Amino acid sequence: MQDNATEVTAAGIARLAGVGRAAVSNWRRRHPDFPKPIGGTETSPSFALAEVEAWLREQGKLAEVPLRERVWQQLTGHPEGPAVALAHVGCVLLLVQERPTVWLDIDAGSDERLAAKLPGVLDGVIAARFGCKPVNASGSVDASGSVNTSGSVNTASPVHTPTGPQLLPSAPLLRSAVELAGELGARQTFEFLLGRYLDAHSRQYTPTPAELAGLMAELAGPALTVLDPACGTGALLRAVEARPGQTLYAQDSAPDLVALTALRLALHTRAAVRGAVGDTLRREAYPELRADAVLCHPPFNERNWGHDELAYDARWEYGFPARNESELAWVQHALARLADGGTAVLLMPPAAASRRSGRRIRADLLRRGALRAVLALPVGAAPPYNLPLHLWVLRRPDRTPVAPEVLLVDTGAFAGEARGGPDWQAVRDAALDTWRAFARDGRLAERPGLARSVPVIELLDDDVDLAPARHLPPPAAADGVEQLAAVRDGLAATLRLTTGLTPPPAVPAPPARWPLTTIGELARGGALILRTGALPGTPGSTATAAHARVPVLTDHDVLAGSPPSGTLPESDEEAVLTEPGDVVVPVLGGGSVARVVDAATAGAALGRNLVLLRPDAAALDAWFLAGFLRGTANNRQASSYASTATRLDVRRLQLPRLPLDEQRRYGARFRALDEFEQALRQAGRLGEQLLRGMYDGLTDGTVEPH
């Protein structure tokens, strides 16, 4: 059923048609019959989705709105906002997953019948999955759309049943979402919509990358009761290994997240899910809980964490945290909620390991055997991506260690070269191998440059500095020198290659007067296929084991000339996979860049902010196409400008109309220039690596100064 009330913005129209927003603005100016705004503001109008779809189809710009796009536009155009709409969808998807025949019965009828019958059946599903009688509390933004302003913590149910009148505007959306679930599955449909929602509100949330969440869960080990007191979007609890009889506890102060996170977990696992809205440090929801494991990515550098109100709180067993030590308050909260012998893993800023204001608490954590390990992660592991964050592994002491030692690990050497993030497999292997050996034996033989177990007495000085890099011996000198020699040899060979690839002197020619065409015209004529990327393609996406092997080509990869560095998210739409001979163009940043996909890159998924052009080899040469797309003047005339970014409308880029033989002549020259460019980039990377290694070797005494 088409929802005539659903609104769509200019950005949504651009997504539907696979064009830039500038193209939508042009359509509005050039076509008098373009649908008129029905809402929004003068600067950001909204349009009726049904009218837009009909217009796009009449203009030949759209064969049919994909179902997933229809669902997304219905969700974003919901009169109560996308958070409420997504909660309604989550409830119904949970019903479809748990009791599919019940949905089939209530779906057969009008929207009014659907809205009237749904609350009763949702009550039963919510009570069964969340372990309590659902009530319409004045709590968070939940399935009913109600908002809690009382400040109380509701632990009765993280999800509340919406009423019939509240559900009626959602009826077309719910039917479409269930139809999409028939294609993707209920869990995958919710992941797709939640992923889109979080991506659209990325400034409001701090994500925990899936790879990091998995590592933290593995460090904590198997557990029947797991708490995340700052659950956010549920990435950490979602990474926990499933076990029979398991219960997951979640709390967060963001009212629009708790219901969505609870629904996400319920769709993902058979574990009992408990959730609560509230400021954990000020109003904890589970004061009697003693969990087997606590996983936490707390907010960093929070000065307003409750310092003045909580001076005499019983949780400060290891000392009252200073106002600027909010992270140490979260550490002690985690320890207070652990059962004896339980394990907590927290993501921490590196400053928490060395700030003088926290040294007394760090010292007491060490003396009493609560802090068991500090693992330094590579730069780029999680936001803020410019800092090498730490993982603290803690255990609730059930006895005092006889010879207490602390494990210090530094995985900084596994930082990736591109924005794709660290080499997660190497980070995971190093972290788990060292932690499991240490947990088994109580100590670890020194591994230069990577890990060592340090007697607590060595750390109890005036600073109590726990930064791993300050206590680890450097890598073996011989290995470092051999590596530098290999880098130098590689640089010399690359420089020789670069010299051979240097273009010959330019030969002047009279200005060309070619007949021109545009990418849009070529696409309409069938000379090429145009696809847009819609995958985030950045670290932090949630990938299944089956999807983990599919890399994502990001816009940064194209700009840097590097291999695909992203991961394929489970939560987004079907991937566009690249093929040899495709031409990939970034649409943001204002640069003139185009990349021809080779055999090594083929099979990667297309990331966000990229456009893929697949030329018909009988009509277009790929290198000819890519070369002319890189022209500075060409990009300038096809770009639009906003206050903070430049966006390229690929359909407006121009090409000369040339015979295929002439295209190939130009294409051969463009391909030679690309090889020269790649050699220059490789030389630059090797040169930087050699310089860094020489500076480090000279300053740490492992290289002779001759």
Side-chain angles (χ1 to χ4, degrees), residues 535-566:
L535 301 170
T538 58
S541 56
T542 305
T544 62
H547 284 172
R549 295 187 295 273
V550 180
V552 173
L553 184 68
T554 70
D555 55 342
H556 179 80
D557 300 330
V558 176
L559 294 169
S562 55
S565 63

Side-chain angles (χ1 to χ4, degrees), residues 483-499 678-694:
Q483 185 178 9
L484 284 179
V487 171
R488 186 180 184 280
D489 291 344
L491 176 60
T494 304
L495 290 174
R496 289 193 295 271
L497 176 63
T498 304
T499 301
Q678 295 304 319
L680 287 175
R681 281 175 166 163
Q682 178 66 4
R685 286 191 286 263
L686 291 172
E688 290 178 3
Q689 190 177 348
L690 180 61
L691 279 172
R692 184 74 269 157
M694 290 297 296

Side-chain angles (χ1 to χ4, degrees), residues 1 11 34 61 122 215 241 278 281 329 342-343 376 386 390 458 465 475 484 502 531 545 590 593 629:
M1 174 183 290
F34 191 87
K61 302 179 187 300
L122 289 179
L215 173 60
E241 179 185 353
L281 294 181
T343 302
N386 61 325
H390 291 176
E458 288 187 21
D465 192 329
L484 284 179
T502 302
R531 302 290 299 275
V593 177
L629 295 187

